[in-house]
Amino acid sequence: MFNYFPTKQALIDTLYVSIKSDLGQAVGALDSDQSIEQRMRQVWDRWIGWSQANPKDHHVARLLHGARLASEQAQVEGMAALQAATDLLNAAFADGVLVDLPLDYLAGLIEQQLDQAVLAQLSGRQVDIAFAVLWNGISSPSKQATNPPKRVPE
């Protein structure tokens, strides 16, 4: 193993960035013609879909991030792989779509909700309800939909 990686940290960082890159590819580009809520739903569905299809990778990424085993640089690179989601969150915050809480807090909350949906093995209507719970918790009251968007077809 250390023939390929000079240190244990290099191995951990490479694994973390690789997993986040795979997730970033699954999330992919977002349709800019859609509302912020609809694009957030795209991220939600794609993230959950990838996590359910890759449960071991999802678990490893959560473990490395939660235990703070991935270096700060690896975490930055991992977030760069999810640039579309990051850009969406920044745009939503800048446009006043999200509640007035620190952006890092909201990002962490979203990731925790995604992780919980995956761990609970939600599907179908449960995923719709979980997204509505998330959206209603992070969006400004004036931006909340009366009919939450359903899964966005790929």
Side-chain angles (χ1 to χ4, degrees):
M1 180 164 46
F2 290 108
N3 291 331
Y4 301 103
F5 301 97
T7 64
K8 182 171 92 172
Q9 189 63 55
L11 169 65
I12 289 169
D13 288 351
T14 300
L15 178 61
Y16 182 80
V17 171
S18 175
I19 291 170
K20 286 295 189 174
S21 294
D22 287 348
L23 175 57
Q25 288 178 352
V27 169
L30 303 173
D31 185 353
S32 61
D33 292 335
Q34 294 185 335
S35 71
I36 288 176
E37 181 181 5
Q38 290 168 324
R39 285 180 280 162
M40 190 73 76
R41 181 60 197 251
Q42 281 183 323
V43 171
W44 176 264
D45 289 338
R46 292 172 185 177
W47 189 304
I48 289 174
W50 178 87
S51 298
Q52 289 173 337
N54 301 280
K56 289 180 182 175
D57 286 349
H58 176 255
H59 178 73
V60 168
R62 285 185 60 244
L63 177 67
L64 294 177
H65 180 76
R68 300 190 191 277
L69 293 174
S71 70
E72 189 173 319
Q73 178 61 35
Q75 290 183 37
V76 167
E77 290 178 38
M79 285 309 300
L82 291 161
Q83 195 61 51
T86 301
D87 290 347
L88 173 61
L89 195 57
N90 286 325
F93 191 77
D95 290 348
V97 173
L98 301 179
V99 293
D100 189 21
L101 286 169
L103 193 53
D104 287 345
Y105 174 82
L106 293 172
L109 184 64
I110 292 166
E111 193 163 355
Q112 289 296 319
Q113 290 286 333
L114 283 160
D115 287 344
Q116 190 58 39
V118 172
L119 291 172
Q121 299 179 346
L122 300 184
S123 62
R125 182 162 153 49
Q126 295 171 330
V127 172
D128 295 339
I129 294 168
F131 178 78
V133 167
L134 170 69
W135 184 252
N136 288 333
I138 65 170
S139 62
S140 296
S142 64
K143 306 293 184 178
Q144 293 175 0
T146 54
N147 296 314
K150 303 292 184 203
R151 284 185 180 258
V152 179
E154 295 295 321

